[in-house]
Amino acid sequence: MLRVENLRKVYQEGTKRAFEACADLTFEVKERELVCIVGPSGAGKTTLLKMIAGLLTPTSGVVYLDDEKVTGPPEKMALVFQDYSRSLYPWMTVEENVAFPLKHRKLGKAETSELIRDTLQSVGLAGAGKKYPWQLSGGMQQRVAIARALAYQPEILLMDEPFASVDAQTRADLEDLVLELRARYGVTVVFVTHDIDESVYLSDRVIVLTPSPTRVQEIVDVPLPRPRDQVETKELAEFSHLRAYVWRSIKRPETADVPA
Ligand code: ADP
Ligand code: MG
């Protein structure tokens, strides 16, 4: 479904401050797959996601979505950012925030309100539609951002460290929400995180990135049974084994054949 081919990004190319954030990234994501991209801070994860989302032009390389080259934000894609406090409009109610991206869809009024009601319910915010984002906790605000992305009915959902700034319990709840919603809506998910446990817990496959200039260090299959459970899954020997494996992969010096 998604194909990233030899993607490279050099910021401020041609100047003294030129910085190669992504060196050469190639991977695929299949339909309905949940893939986590994990790498240290500054590894170019956000850069990569912005290029996939058509928000940043690669220096070279191509992103294909359903065999079409991505040159701008694709219709079938939605994004959830880390910083929910800046991604929701404070002057709009929760309902209005969720409705906002639907303006370009030619939906009837009844259909729109049904969609808003359903998605708010599915993220556990059935009663919060008339509230303003600043009246909600961080975890609830991020649920609104997820509802907004889902109401848009994307085929692919990109998430950039979406739970990095909520407490541990909320984070676990939101992880399970993503798994549940993916199962319900059949959406393909590309989830960026620097948290190794989170990457293994959620994924079908984990793509491990090297530090900048970024390459794919390794792609790890995660054949843990579903549905996953915060306690039972993490208790499995296979889970510990996989998290240790990903951990070592990140720590391992880059083995790629970088020309001298
Ligand atoms: P991550 O999301 O993995 O933490 P980023 O993609 O945000 O990493 O950044 C990767 C590297 O690129 C960092 O060293 C960052 O400072 C640099 N970078 C990001 N955005 C820009 C920009 N607009 N101009 C110059 N350098 C940038
Ligand atoms: Mg980032």
Side-chain angles (χ1 to χ4, degrees):
M1 175 174 206
L2 177 74
R3 208 144 43 89
V4 170
E5 275 185 19
N6 303 108
L7 215 54
R8 177 165 185 256
K9 181 66 189 181
V10 181
Y11 285 111
Q12 288 156 319
E13 204 189 17
T15 73
K16 276 186 190 156
R17 289 190 298 166
F19 179 80
E20 188 178 26
C22 298
D24 185 359
L25 292 165
T26 298
F27 60 85
E28 282 186 10
V29 178
K30 294 182 216 97
E31 204 176 330
R32 288 171 173 261
E33 204 177 15
L34 197 164
V35 167
C36 280
I37 297 175
V38 57
S41 204
K45 301 183 296 296
T46 298
T47 302
L48 166 63
L49 221 56
K50 281 183 181 164
M51 291 192 283
I52 294 176
L55 297 170
L56 186 68
T57 312
T59 303
S60 58
V62 192
V63 176
Y64 293 100
L65 184 61
D66 289 331
D67 294 320
E68 270 178 61
K69 194 173 161 176
V70 171
T71 53
E75 272 287 321
K76 23 185 147 174
M77 196 179 264
L79 240 100
V80 174
F81 296 99
Q82 172 177 351
D83 195 353
Y84 47 79
S85 63
R86 285 195 300 174
S87 77
L88 300 176
Y89 297 115
W91 64 88
M92 289 184 187
T93 63
V94 165
E95 277 175 2
E96 286 163 350
N97 268 285
V98 175
F100 190 74
L102 300 176
K103 291 210 162 119
H104 303 287
R105 296 272 162 100
K106 291 178 184 73
L107 302 174
K109 218 174 162 187
E111 200 180 346
T112 305
S113 27
E114 195 184 319
L115 203 51
I116 295 168
R117 191 161 12 91
D118 283 357
T119 44
L120 281 177
Q121 189 170 6
S122 68
V123 300
L125 285 178
K130 303 287 183 219
K131 293 213 156 99
Y132 287 88
W134 42 268
Q135 295 177 299
L136 307 175
S137 70
M140 286 163 90
Q141 289 180 43
Q142 197 55 300
R143 283 173 195 264
V144 178
I146 295 170
R148 180 175 60 185
L150 287 173
Y152 186 73
Q153 297 176 302
E155 286 171 33
I156 178 161
L157 181 61
L158 307 182
M159 306 182 90
D160 190 4
E161 306 207 38
F163 312 143
S165 40
V166 296
D167 63 86
Q169 183 57 52
T170 305
R171 183 180 194 136
D173 292 345
L174 290 172
E175 287 168 1
D176 288 338
L177 178 66
V178 167
L179 293 181
E180 206 183 294
L181 294 171
R182 190 207 32 163
R184 168 148 14 133
Y185 294 98
V187 63
T188 306
V189 182
V190 179
F191 190 108
V192 163
T193 179
H194 64 256
D195 186 308
I196 293 167
D197 285 37
E198 181 169 75
S199 74
V200 173
Y201 180 65
L202 295 174
S203 285
D204 296 315
R205 286 187 302 147
V206 177
I207 299 178
V208 181
L209 301 182
T210 67
S212 284
T214 314
R215 294 160 188 277
V216 174
Q217 168 83 270
E218 188 168 9
I219 299 180
V220 182
D221 275 317
V222 181
L224 295 169
R226 294 192 187 270
R228 296 196 182 155
D229 178 276
Q230 292 285 353
V231 177
E232 279 165 30
T233 302
K234 291 180 178 173
E235 216 171 32
L236 298 173
E238 183 66 3
F239 180 85
S240 321
H241 172 72
L242 282 163
R243 74 183 280 286
Y245 187 89
V246 172
W247 194 271
R248 288 196 187 102
S249 178
I250 287 182
K251 297 286 170 218
R252 200 184 313 141
E254 198 178 333
T255 47
D257 45 346
V258 191

